[in-house]
Amino acid sequence: MSADDQFDDERMASPLRRRLLGGLAAAPLMALGLPRTSFAQVPPTAKVNTTGLAVTDTTVTVGQLHSATGTMAISETGSIQAERLAIEQINAMGGVLGRKINIIQEDGASDWPTYAEKSKKLLENDHVAAVFGCWTSASRKAVLPVFEKDNGLLYYPTFYEGLEQSKNVFYTGQEATQQILWALDWASNTKKAKTFFLIGSDYIWPRTSNKIARRHIEQHLHAKVVGEEYYPLGTTEFNSLMNKIKLARPDCIFATVVGGSNVAFYKQLKAAGITPQKQFLLTLSVTEDEVLGIGGENFAGYYSSMKYFQSLDNDNNKKFVSAFKARYGAKSVIGDVTQAAYLGPWIWKAACERAGSFDVNKVVAASKDIELANAPQGYAKVDVNHHLWSRSLIGEGQADGQFKVVASSPEPIHPDPFPKGYM
């Protein structure tokens, strides 16, 4: 089965689910608080596409670039699904500038050179109007030179370390000041943590995130880092780490392990007798998607710092969860990055219609201050720095695989990808 067939509506959705999806498809744009744009007459292609993008009188083509295979597939499958759902809903409303969205899907295969190769294909061969994709910072860093050289447009959904801003990228996940610093303050103030053990996968995001975390712990919280360890992506052997944790006896394990390695990490914590009843653990990298593999019984009692949890109690999130489950099955779950991926196509649609064009420069210029008044996560707004204003949340893992929200920033936090003193 091809990648497109895998996510094709006719193959995956039963007639009942298609009817349910059809009933929900018209809701999200208004629910997100975006203005509805009416086109009594579809604007001519020559007006909305002056740079040779894949736009016809009836269609506009975009790309998807995620890992459908490899160690990162456990985390990225939800992003693929959410972007598909948003695009299906947008198409059900008439598309963008009167044009239905076509998708070309490419598999980054959890391999950073493959991401660069596939991004070049999408931009230079397929001439897509936008790309929704990447997950790890390593994949984003691999494609960034291609997008900047070819003036492409990437909507990147993952929480990340910050320290980046590009004209060609919109970052719909949290950056460090919203996720890392706020969470560490909570750990210090609420859990009284004074010693921290930093653990991460061995690539850009965990190393940079922990560098920022260490600086905040030592210089702002006046606390101590008692250990720092890294393991290659895909690692399933953490037994020696368990002994180091027991010897260090940290108040807080601060974890940035990603992908399939999470399954082994949390199961081995439990096997070693390191449980939430004895050990406070705060992670930046476990959402409902990862808990599916880890098992709720192995994560219950630990904490995640995110801006979205499936359990959020607001009307728009309930509609979103219902539509997602109608499309992908009652047992499907929605994590932080999945929801952030869902926002990407809606932000792109709003910017194109505000600009009256698919041209990248015009879309970028029109994106500032686009507001999602009632996104599933709650209020969000596109900042001039291409990041989103959003609230920060702490969720406690539950045995059923969901999270109980135990803390929330009082207001949306201004994104600051270059925080003073942390670079």
Side-chain angles (χ1 to χ4, degrees):
M1 182 182 291
S2 70
D4 281 341
D5 286 340
Q6 183 181 0
F7 294 98
D8 184 79
D9 199 21
E10 295 301 319
R11 294 179 185 265
M12 290 193 68
S14 66
L16 174 60
R17 286 180 183 171
R18 288 198 296 275
R19 287 196 298 272
L20 184 54
L21 177 62
L24 289 164
L29 184 63
M30 295 303 288
L32 289 178
L34 296 173
R36 184 184 292 276
T37 304
S38 176
F39 293 97
Q41 183 176 1
V42 176
T45 300
K47 180 179 179 182
V48 301
N49 178 30
T50 69
T51 58
L53 299 173
V55 179
T56 71
D57 291 345
T58 58
T59 64
V60 54
T61 300
V62 302
Q64 270 191 304
L65 180 56
H66 288 289
S67 295
T69 58
T71 189
M72 292 309 304
I74 187 176
S75 298
E76 297 193 54
T77 297
S79 298
I80 298 170
Q81 294 173 331
E83 289 157 1
R84 289 266 171 170
L85 176 61
I87 288 168
E88 289 165 358
Q89 293 174 327
I90 290 168
N91 280 343
M93 300 174 65
V96 182
L97 294 173
R99 291 159 172 83
K100 296 295 181 72
I101 304 171
N102 289 335
I103 303 170
I104 297 175
Q105 182 178 340
E106 298 291 348
D107 182 7
S110 306
D111 178 69
W112 322 142
T114 298
Y115 269 94
E117 172 192 339
K118 296 297 187 180
S119 67
K120 186 173 182 180
K121 173 190 176 290
L122 287 169
L123 296 178
E124 297 182 6
N125 295 354
D126 301 319
H127 304 291
V128 296
V131 176
F132 305 96
C134 299
W135 200 101
T136 65
S137 287
S139 65
R140 190 192 70 255
K141 291 290 189 183
V143 306
L144 184 59
V146 182
F147 277 86
E148 292 184 335
K149 173 181 174 291
D150 292 331
N151 198 31
L153 193 55
L154 173 66
Y155 289 82
Y156 175 69
T158 315
F159 42 80
Y160 86 115
E161 68 279 1
L163 308 183
E164 181 180 295
Q165 181 178 333
S166 173
K167 168 203 163 186
N168 299 94
V169 183
F170 284 89
Y171 309 79
T172 62
Q174 290 174 296
E175 45 73 42
T177 61
Q178 297 168 312
Q179 187 185 30
I180 300 172
L181 306 188
W182 190 84
L184 287 171
D185 287 345
W186 174 81
S188 175
N189 296 331
T190 303
K191 294 294 186 177
K192 309 304 179 186
K194 296 297 182 184
T195 58
F196 295 78
F197 198 119
L198 313 182
I199 302 166
S201 296
D202 194 4
Y203 73 98
I204 297 168
W205 175 67
R207 283 191 174 274
T208 307
S209 294
N210 283 341
K211 180 180 179 181
I212 293 168
R214 178 184 279 272
R215 187 160 297 181
H216 193 69
I217 289 165
E218 293 175 344
Q219 297 183 6
H220 295 269
L221 301 181
H222 305 294
K224 185 177 181 181
V225 174
V226 295
E228 185 169 354
E229 298 283 332
Y230 297 93
Y231 296 83
L233 280 169
T235 293
T236 58
E237 178 53 64
F238 293 98
N239 286 329
S240 63
L241 173 64
M242 302 304 144
N243 292 329
K244 292 177 182 178
I245 292 171
K246 288 180 177 180
L247 287 172
R249 301 178 63 185
D251 294 334
C252 175
I253 297 173
F254 189 72
T256 51
V257 176
V258 305
S261 295
N262 275 305
V263 177
F265 176 61
Y266 287 96
K267 287 183 176 180
Q268 288 172 33
L269 279 173
K270 186 174 184 179
I274 303 172
T275 65
Q277 292 74 34
K278 303 174 183 177
Q279 176 66 62
F280 168 46
L281 180 147
L282 175 62
T283 178
L284 307 181
S285 53
V286 173
T287 73
E288 292 85 343
D289 294 291
E290 285 78 19
V291 175
L292 270 181
I294 295 167
E297 70 280 7
N298 296 314
F299 190 80
Y302 293 136
Y303 297 87
S304 285
S305 172
M306 300 289 164
K307 69 173 180 177
Y308 171 85
F309 293 103
Q310 183 182 312
S311 59
L312 285 179
D313 187 14
N314 67 66
D315 289 342
N316 207 66
N317 187 47
K318 291 175 182 177
K319 292 176 184 177
F320 171 52
V321 172
S322 295
F324 193 93
K325 288 181 175 290
R327 178 66 171 85
Y328 297 111
K331 293 183 179 180
S332 60
V333 298
I334 305 167
D336 180 278
V337 183
T338 298
Q339 190 262 174
Y342 178 74
L343 302 182
W346 292 105
I347 293 171
W348 175 69
K349 171 183 168 65
C352 289
E353 295 184 343
R354 181 186 281 183
S357 175
F358 294 107
D359 293 352
V360 169
N361 290 346
K362 294 177 182 177
V363 171
V364 169
S367 297
K368 179 179 178 291
D369 292 334
I370 285 175
E371 293 182 290
L372 308 178
N374 294 296
Q377 70 182 52
Y379 176 84
K381 183 176 74 171
V382 180
D383 193 77
V384 67
N385 63 28
H386 289 200
H387 296 70
L388 298 187
W389 290 68
S390 60
R391 278 184 168 84
S392 295
L393 309 173
I394 300 292
E396 181 181 5
Q398 305 294 298
D400 64 358
Q402 291 296 303
F403 286 83
K404 177 183 177 182
V405 177
V406 296
S408 171
S409 64
E411 299 292 338
I413 298 174
H414 171 245
D416 182 6
F418 297 97
K420 186 176 179 181
Y422 291 89
M423 293 180 282

